[in-house]
Amino acid sequence: TTDGVGAASRGSPEATQDFDHLYNILFIGDSHVGKTSFLHRLHANTFNPHLIATVGLDYQVKNLIVDNKRFALRLWDSAGQERYRSITKQFFRKADGVVLMYDITSESSFSDVRYWLSCIQEGAEDGVTVLLLGNKTDCAAERRVPTEEGERLAKEHQLIFFECSAASGHNVSKSMVSLVRLLKVREDELKIKAREVSEPPQKKKGCC
Amino acid sequence: SIQHVYGAQHPPFDPLLHGSFTKPGSKPPTTPVKLKKVSTFQEFESNTSDAWDLGDDDDELLAIAAENLNTEVVMETAHKVIQNHSKLQEQHKFQEEHLKEEHVQEERLQEENRVESAELTSIVCSDNRLVKSVSEGHTSSPSDNASENSSMQRSQSLPQTSTPPLVSGTADYSTSVTPALTEREASRLDKFKQLLAGPNTNLEELRKLSWSGIPKRVRPIAWKLLSGYLPANVDRRESTLQRKRKEYFAFVEQYYDSRNDENHQDTYRQIHIDIPRMSPEVLRLQPKVTEIFERILFIWAIRHPASGYVQGMNDLVTPFFVVFICEYIEEEEMENFDVSTLPEEVLQNIEADSYWCMSKLLDGIQDNYTFAQPGIQKKVKMLEELVSRIDEQVHRHLDQHEVKYLQFAFRWMNNLLMREVPLRCTIRLWDTYQ
């Protein structure tokens, strides 16, 4: 594949142990925007229009090779309904990255993005990497949220932004790869910071 | 060899569990009995399908079990388990009496609401079985990553790939491979019929008899009685049905038009998008069925504002609807049956009965669905506690891998295991919840 991206082999049961980096990624957004379908596309590269509504949390692992590094992604699929938020909130803290999804054919799912951002701010680690996704680009005729609005919101909150389609596969892996690259950058930064803290820069120990 | 599973009340005899029962705190024995790896639910089911048509009382079951296992240990363990469960049940009953006073319950007609206590006990027991399959998976494959990987996929594809039609199959009680009832089945059916005939049905007796499965023909009436929807007195049943059905449709009349009002539209929208996203087992989700489910759930939701509609409740309508519709359909027809060919009045009765029975069920577990879902959190805690006691190894393993019980058991409790087992098994399981 292009861009140095590929799926890691999953031959042996230990395959998932063979990774260079492991990230927890939480999927949030209103009910019925396509979180589970997106994950299904990522996992099986097909579209299943008959997926059942998620209850509580679901979980799967995806291995990706990006830039010759092996990444294991723990993907947490959360239920969008309000009542479940007290349950799903408990998992925000664990997330290295958050995928916040809305449906470009639903204005309310887009206006709820601000609500979800406040949940992230409240529950997740500071500076957590967020990917904003506008799903269902295949339903162009029913579009209610212009691309520019998504872009503007992403810019305002410094989020990565893509429009995608779980149904067609458009931008599905591409957006995940961008997220993974950013997570890697952030991890490296944190490592450097941690090193600086544990080994404070040596001051000149002059003798005179 | 036969593997025994005795419904929700009696967990299977598992050498691992048994080991930790007799020596609490000690490590599970390096298994003397070879554990079969159970890789799919279908396999598990076929291994244990004999359980569904098994017999009458505990002693008989224990005797059968004893033939295959060391009699002494088995009997000792089994009695212990049964004792524990009845103790637990007493406790819950007691707690429930107290809780009841605090609960806002609209239906006070029933003499006692056993739903919750029975349900709790059943979860505890059925989890034994689930715990068992986890531990087997663990012993046979050192890494769980592969199964983690596929778990989501598998759970979602299960209902679609299960070929047997709805409620039927060899597993169902009254419909064995031979069309005629066996002598044993006929005698069980007779026992039920006698009990149901009245003049007053002894509910305790009925409940006891139902533990080992309710014959299909009497299941609708048995469920209606056990849930407290119908009175024990035969003469009052018909009038109660009439009254309750009328009452339900008065609700529909009163509330259903408000589904697009500003304060209800979110509820209705959520129900509306969830129903098509249900397991396709349900009569292929015909428009008529969708309509009925929407009405039932919407009416329930706005009459119970403390919880409202929560995803997963939609699943809970299904067993009632399917069981009640089976009164009117031969099950061979079930798979391709066009619901709209039934007379309107029949469908209305099924709808109202499903509504009331679901209400009875939900009344007992309403705190599963109120804010922060305390009922579920409590049950998941109980499960964790239980696993840590009976299978420390599994508990430690989960802990080591930072797997929280809430991650995998939330749905079990939220949907009463309906997403984990085929519908006909759920129906059989519910014989013991009522």
Side-chain angles (χ1 to χ4, degrees), chain A residues 14-30:
Chain A
E14 281 86 0
T16 43
Q17 298 294 334
D18 296 333
F19 51 77
D20 306 306
H21 304 273
L22 170 75
Y23 299 131
N24 285 302
I25 298 172
L26 179 67
F27 281 70
I28 57 174
D30 277 9

Side-chain angles (χ1 to χ4, degrees), chain A residues 10 16-17 76 81 83-84, chain B residues 145 149 309 311 369 407:
Chain A
R10 295 196 290 121
T16 43
Q17 298 294 334
W76 300 85
Q81 204 196 352
R83 185 49 42 85
Y84 292 125
Chain B
N145 288 318
N149 208 349
Y309 167 77
Q311 291 177 314
Y369 307 108
Q407 278 161 258

Side-chain angles (χ1 to χ4, degrees), chain B residues 308-377:
Chain B
Y309 167 77
V310 179
Q311 291 177 314
M313 283 178 184
N314 48 346
D315 283 356
L316 304 183
V317 184
T318 307
F320 295 115
F321 183 78
V322 166
V323 164
F324 296 155
I325 210 167
C326 275
E327 268 189 291
Y328 304 93
I329 313 178
E330 286 304 315
E331 60 173 280
E332 297 82 51
E333 307 171 337
M334 187 57 121
E335 219 180 346
N336 300 310
F337 187 79
D338 180 2
V339 171
S340 61
T341 57
L342 281 174
E344 193 61 29
E345 197 198 335
V346 165
L347 276 177
Q348 286 185 352
N349 292 347
I350 293 171
E351 177 176 341
D353 295 350
S354 300
Y355 171 84
W356 287 115
C357 286
M358 187 198 73
S359 292
K360 296 284 184 190
L361 174 72
L362 286 177
D363 281 346
I365 53 173
Q366 210 185 332
D367 64 347
N368 277 7
Y369 307 108
T370 49
F371 178 73
Q373 305 192 262
I376 291 184
Q377 309 230 31

Side-chain angles (χ1 to χ4, degrees), chain B residues 56-83:
Chain B
D56 280 310
D57 55 56
D58 298 334
D59 289 340
E60 189 184 351
L61 296 174
L62 292 176
I64 299 167
E67 282 171 24
N68 296 285
L69 294 158
N70 181 323
T71 320
E72 259 181 47
V73 227
V74 167
M75 296 295 263
E76 197 197 359
T77 314
H79 280 303
K80 230 183 257 174
V81 171
I82 291 168
Q83 259 172 25

Side-chain angles (χ1 to χ4, degrees), chain A residues 10 13 16-17 31-32 36 43 50-61 76-77 79 81 83-84 86-87 90-91 94, chain B residues 143 145 148-149 152-153 156 160 269-270 273-274 277 307 309-311 369-373 377 402 406-407 410-411 414-415 419:
Chain A
R10 295 196 290 121
T16 43
Q17 298 294 334
S31 186
H32 205 48
T36 307
H43 187 83
H50 302 295
L51 292 173
I52 304 172
T54 307
V55 155
L57 270 181
D58 251 320
Y59 170 71
Q60 57 174 288
V61 176
W76 300 85
D77 185 14
Q81 204 196 352
R83 185 49 42 85
Y84 292 125
S86 56
I87 301 291
Q90 301 179 24
F91 294 89
K94 277 183 134 183
Chain B
S143 163
N145 288 318
E148 276 173 1
N149 208 349
M152 179 176 163
Q153 222 189 358
Q156 283 176 344
Q160 282 143 356
R269 182 188 159 270
Q270 188 71 57
I273 59 177
D274 280 352
R277 296 193 291 167
S307 62
Y309 167 77
V310 179
Q311 291 177 314
Y369 307 108
T370 49
F371 178 73
Q373 305 192 262
Q377 309 230 31
E402 294 176 45
L406 207 55
Q407 278 161 258
F410 180 88
R411 187 175 68 199
N414 193 73
N415 295 31
R419 295 262 182 108

